[in-house]
Amino acid sequence: MDRRQHPLPESLGTVFTAAAARAAGVDSRRLHGDDVVRIAPGTYSRSDGEVFVSPADHPSGRLPHPHERWRQSLTIRAINLIEVMKPNAFFSHYTAAAIWGLPVSPPLGGDELRVDIASCEGSQSLERFGVTYRVLSPRQVKVVVLRGIPVTDPATTWAELTPGLTRSQAVAVGDAVLRHPRYPGTSRYKRDPLATRSQLEQAATTPYRRGGRELRELLPLLTHQSASPPESHIRMLLAEWRAPPPELDYDVYSPEGRLLGCSEFAYPQLKLAIEYEGEHHFSQAKQYARDVEKYQAYAEEGWRVLRVTSSLLYRQPLELKRQVLEALRVSRETR
């Protein structure tokens, strides 16, 4: 018999105990259905609680990236566990990053919704029922409450995550923590950063921190002016290719002082800009029209623009290197 043919009572909520299920008239065999997940001894969750975002709700007009959906679903699963967590427990590592909206992807390339829960009490870390339990040193962790969710603060989250990330991933996450988005053409900011550089430095230099040396080496590579992981990755590649360091988040003006646009990477002396263009630059009519107007204005003032797509950045990095170095050479010769 199909155990899914009888829906679970709405009164059970998303997370419920075996005792609550029995009280609601749910047979114990029903808890072995493939729409139920055992998340702790005697505690279960509905497995159909993934977040769905329709194309109409997403800024790009398309479904969000699978990694974004994974972060949303992981956050929802974590929130559902709060009521059964032990006192003084909190979310850490990938789960904390997802809660803060940091650009992490599923570890090892999978899509498992394994929740990271930690505590500063106890003596043993373990994995069971889709949850990784860790015991962390109170000297190395700062915990805050974000909208009712106990979670490591952004600086701690970056420091705890980094040893398990690649160098480019760690820089992208660190950039996202420091990001201080600005209104183009002004010195006004849209919001505060999630953490300051001094807070990251404090987290990185905490005594006996795992991966402390790597964290300290990464700190000088981070910036508050990167708006996305691809921008962080391009910046690291430019350094690897020994290209001159560009200006970041640079406002381009006409000689009369009219703002033409803001570019992620710019070489003002060479009048060369490098722009990363995600899918929304092509799928959104308004964004596409703004880009056309912006690049026309740049061209009229003698600026060259190298437009970088996701395919060029991640699938053809050698071709991107050739284009960057060639654009720099041509721009130098024409100045």
Side-chain angles (χ1 to χ4, degrees):
M1 181 174 63
D2 184 359
R3 296 189 181 108
R4 295 197 63 172
Q5 64 180 342
H6 301 297
L8 293 168
E10 290 295 328
S11 60
L12 284 180
T14 304
V15 177
F16 53 89
T17 63
R22 285 194 300 272
V26 177
D27 187 273
S28 61
R29 291 173 297 178
R30 179 65 179 81
L31 300 182
H32 295 285
D34 55 7
D35 62 340
V36 178
V37 177
R38 187 186 185 201
I39 57 177
T43 305
Y44 298 83
S45 172
R46 300 174 190 263
S47 65
D48 55 359
E50 273 201 26
V51 174
F52 175 77
V53 179
S54 72
D57 293 334
H58 199 256
S60 69
R62 303 174 60 134
L63 284 174
H65 189 279
H67 292 171
E68 184 178 344
R69 295 202 300 273
W70 174 79
R71 291 191 293 268
Q72 293 169 342
S73 298
L74 182 60
T75 298
I76 292 298
R77 176 157 290 191
I79 291 172
N80 290 335
L81 285 173
I82 291 176
E83 60 188 82
V84 296
M85 285 169 55
K86 294 181 179 180
N88 302 319
F90 50 88
F91 298 110
S92 66
H93 293 76
Y94 283 93
T95 305
I99 291 170
W100 286 109
L102 298 176
V104 291
S105 56
L108 303 178
D111 59 0
E112 182 182 9
L113 296 177
R114 180 170 291 276
V115 177
D116 300 292
I117 296 179
S119 173
C120 294
E121 301 172 352
S123 58
Q124 183 178 353
S125 298
L126 53 92
E127 295 186 14
R128 59 191 306 185
F129 309 117
V131 176
T132 297
Y133 299 90
R134 292 181 177 88
V135 178
L136 303 178
S137 167
R139 294 174 297 179
Q140 298 179 349
V141 174
K142 182 176 181 181
V143 178
V144 297
V145 177
L146 176 69
R147 297 188 295 273
I149 306 171
V151 59
T152 52
D153 75 336
T156 300
T157 300
W158 176 72
E160 290 289 337
L161 264 183
T162 289
L165 302 178
T166 66
R167 191 173 180 85
S168 61
Q169 289 172 336
V171 168
V173 173
D175 284 353
V177 171
L178 290 178
R179 189 187 174 203
H180 205 184
R182 179 180 63 89
Y183 290 102
T186 75
S187 57
R188 294 184 297 112
Y189 292 94
K190 299 178 182 180
R191 63 164 175 81
D192 292 333
L194 295 179
T196 64
R197 185 173 292 274
S198 63
Q199 288 172 324
L200 286 186
E201 290 173 350
Q202 183 177 1
T205 56
T206 300
Y208 308 109
R209 166 79 70 192
R210 177 171 171 253
R213 179 178 178 179
E214 179 187 4
L215 290 167
R216 293 189 293 272
E217 291 175 350
L218 289 173
L219 281 171
L221 305 180
L222 306 183
T223 179
H224 68 279
Q225 295 175 297
S226 180
S228 68
E231 291 181 30
S232 301
H233 300 158
I234 290 172
R235 194 177 76 252
M236 293 196 68
L237 286 176
L238 292 175
E240 179 183 324
W241 299 335
R242 299 191 178 181
E247 299 285 342
L248 305 178
D249 192 29
Y250 185 82
D251 291 327
V252 177
Y253 290 91
S254 70
E256 298 76 30
R258 179 171 65 92
L259 179 67
L260 305 181
C262 181
S263 290
E264 293 100 352
F265 308 94
Y267 295 94
Q269 299 301 320
L270 302 177
K271 287 195 171 183
L272 172 65
I274 300 176
E275 299 267 355
Y276 177 76
E277 302 197 335
E279 289 187 6
H280 70 285
H281 284 267
F282 304 99
S283 62
Q284 283 187 303
K286 289 184 179 179
Q287 180 65 56
Y288 183 79
R290 283 197 297 268
D291 289 344
V292 170
E293 295 173 1
K294 171 181 170 178
Y295 297 143
Q296 178 61 32
Y298 276 31
E300 290 175 359
E301 297 300 336
W303 277 75
R304 296 168 55 88
V305 179
L306 175 58
R307 303 171 71 180
V308 181
T309 63
S310 174
S311 177
L312 185 60
L313 173 59
Y314 295 113
R315 299 180 184 176
Q316 306 174 73
L318 293 181
E319 173 59 18
L320 175 58
K321 177 180 180 180
R322 185 196 68 77
Q323 292 187 22
V324 167
L325 298 182
E326 177 67 8
L328 286 168
R329 183 189 67 77
V330 172
S331 297
R332 289 192 192 98
E333 291 178 354
T334 55
R335 287 301 105 197

